[in-house]
């Protein structure tokens, strides 16, 4: 069955049960002595949309990477669902990562591969090695990839090379790759940092829909306060490896963000105050002039 006849295959399989996340007195100290996390304890219920805010070096990326075991803890414990991350061996850790979708600032796509091939990477943890080596993915895996691409509005780019896409389109492919895992948690590390403002809002809307429509637990690292307020339900503020704010996102005041940043709030802390890259203004529809067709079907 072709992709063209399956663009509405979003309900092809039942949504996975989301995972809660728990950190208990977690400290991370890197080999060079840098303190990444300092005695952090958090309980994040399943199905929550969380914005994690902090300046560079605050510990927010370490927090995200500790949750999926990319960064080992020095002390304390980390659990997702009923699985221990901090106590997992290599095989168990691979299984856990297969249930956690990651979205990176730099997209992490294979530029010379097609959009479909990039999204099918999300099925690696659920696919026998011989199928992966031969590129013979099951039809069910392809259907999941089609559905994931359709859900972020980029199915028509199925056979395009990833390197031919705009930045916003590439980030949507990265989100689709995460969705193809049928994840119980999605972790996004500065997913809009390299995007112009209209495209940043579109990507954040995609992440919010994933949370609201699929019920998946979503954690998003951000450094812009207006995005955190608009798209987060819960806001966690990080500074020097510590949690310095934990509360509702929408009601977080500028004073709260000054506490998080450890300095006064300025224009660059808001998406509206960040100038678009050279030549990227808005067209009359509010789209990025540099990428007027950032969504494939517009």
């Amino acid at each position: 069955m072709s992709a063209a006849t399956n663009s509405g295959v979003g309900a092809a399989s039942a949504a996975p049960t989301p995972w809660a996340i728990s950190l208990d007195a977690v400290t991370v100290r890197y080999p060079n002595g840098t303190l990444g996390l300092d005695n952090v304890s958090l309980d994040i219920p399943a199905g929550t949309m969380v914005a994690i805010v902090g300046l560079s070096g605050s510990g927010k990326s370490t927090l995200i990477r500790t949750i999926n075991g990319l960064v080992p803890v020095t002390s304390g414990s980390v659990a997702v669902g009923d699985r221990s991350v901090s106590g997992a061996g290599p095989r168990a850790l691979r299984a856990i990562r297969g249930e956690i979708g990651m979205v990176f600032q730099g997209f992490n796509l294979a530029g010379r591969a097609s959009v479909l091939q990039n999204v099918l990477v999300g099925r690696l943890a659920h696919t026998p090695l011989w199928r992966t080596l031969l590129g013979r993915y099951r039809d069910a895996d392809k259907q999941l990839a089609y559905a994931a691409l359709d859900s972020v509005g980029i199915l028509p780019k199925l056979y395009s090379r990833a390197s031919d896409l705009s930045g916003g389109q590439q980030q949507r492919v990265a989100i689709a790759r995460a969705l193809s895992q049928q994840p119980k948690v999605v972790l996004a590390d500065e997913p809009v940092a390299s995007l112009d403002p209209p495209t940043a809002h579109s990507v954040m809307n995609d992440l919010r829909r994933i949370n609201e429509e699929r019920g998946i637990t979503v954690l998003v690292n951000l450094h812009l306060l207006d995005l955190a307020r608009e798209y987060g339900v819960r806001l966690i503020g990080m500074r020097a490896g510590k949690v310095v704010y934990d509360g509702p996102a929408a009601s977080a005041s500028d004073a709260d963000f000054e506490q998080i940043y450890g300095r006064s709030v300025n224009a660059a802390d808001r998406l509206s105050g960040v100038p678009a890259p050279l030549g990227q203004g808005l067209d009359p529809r509010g789209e990025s002039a540099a990428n007027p067709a950032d969504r494939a079907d517009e």
Side-chain angles (χ1 to χ4, degrees):
M1 201 174 289
S2 69
T5 60
N6 280 277
S7 61
V9 74
S13 57
T17 302
W19 276 346
I21 299 169
S22 176
L23 289 85
D24 183 16
V26 171
T27 292
V28 171
R29 188 175 294 276
Y30 290 100
N32 64 2
T34 300
L35 192 62
L37 294 178
D38 186 2
N39 195 35
V40 171
S41 293
L42 290 168
D43 285 303
I44 299 171
T48 306
M49 177 85 174
V50 181
I52 304 170
V53 176
L55 298 177
S56 178
S58 64
K60 62 185 189 297
S61 289
T62 299
L63 177 63
I64 285 279
R65 292 165 185 266
T66 298
I67 290 170
N68 76 345
L70 286 174
V71 174
V73 304
T74 304
S75 61
S77 63
V78 180
V80 288
D82 60 355
R83 316 279 186 89
S84 170
V85 176
S86 49
R91 185 172 182 177
L93 201 51
R94 284 195 297 271
I96 290 170
R97 289 174 183 157
E99 308 287 352
I100 298 176
M102 283 290 297
V103 180
F104 300 93
Q105 175 182 343
F107 316 139
N108 283 21
L109 302 179
R112 298 178 65 181
S114 71
V115 165
L116 176 60
Q117 288 170 322
N118 273 281
V119 174
L120 284 171
V121 169
R123 300 304 302 159
L124 290 181
H126 309 281
T127 303
L129 179 61
W130 72 268
R131 285 189 175 274
T132 301
L133 294 175
L134 295 176
R136 295 182 61 182
Y137 288 90
R138 292 167 294 203
D139 285 343
D141 292 326
K142 292 179 181 179
Q143 296 305 317
L144 286 170
Y146 301 151
L149 287 164
D150 190 41
S151 72
V152 295
I154 203 166
L155 184 62
K157 296 290 186 180
L158 186 68
Y159 299 113
S160 299
R161 278 173 48 146
S163 59
D164 292 337
L165 305 183
S166 70
Q169 289 172 333
Q170 289 189 52
Q171 194 59 290
R172 290 193 181 93
V173 174
I175 293 171
R177 178 182 59 200
L179 288 178
S180 75
Q181 293 179 234
Q182 296 187 296
K184 295 176 171 63
V185 175
V186 169
L187 306 175
D189 193 3
E190 295 280 9
V192 301
S194 59
L195 304 179
D196 60 84
T199 307
H201 278 290
S202 294
V203 168
M204 288 302 300
N205 268 313
D206 286 333
L207 291 169
R208 179 163 60 187
R209 283 193 301 103
I210 289 167
N211 170 255
E212 292 178 347
E213 296 177 7
R214 300 177 182 234
I216 298 172
T217 309
V218 177
L219 275 65
V220 186
N221 275 353
L222 298 165
H223 65 274
L224 298 169
L225 61 87
D226 46 356
L227 288 182
R229 281 176 177 150
E230 183 171 353
Y231 295 100
V233 174
R234 178 176 174 182
L235 176 69
I236 294 172
M238 302 286 300
R239 178 156 57 92
K242 291 180 176 289
V243 174
V244 295
Y245 179 90
D246 187 357
S251 60
S253 66
D254 280 7
D256 292 323
F257 280 96
E258 288 175 352
Q259 177 190 3
I260 294 168
Y261 296 152
R263 59 160 172 76
S264 298
V265 169
N266 58 51
D269 297 324
R270 295 180 171 85
L271 186 65
S272 57
V274 177
L278 188 62
Q280 292 191 18
L282 299 181
D283 71 10
R285 297 178 302 158
E287 295 288 342
S288 166
N291 298 307
D294 193 50
R295 278 194 180 270
D297 53 352
E298 291 182 349

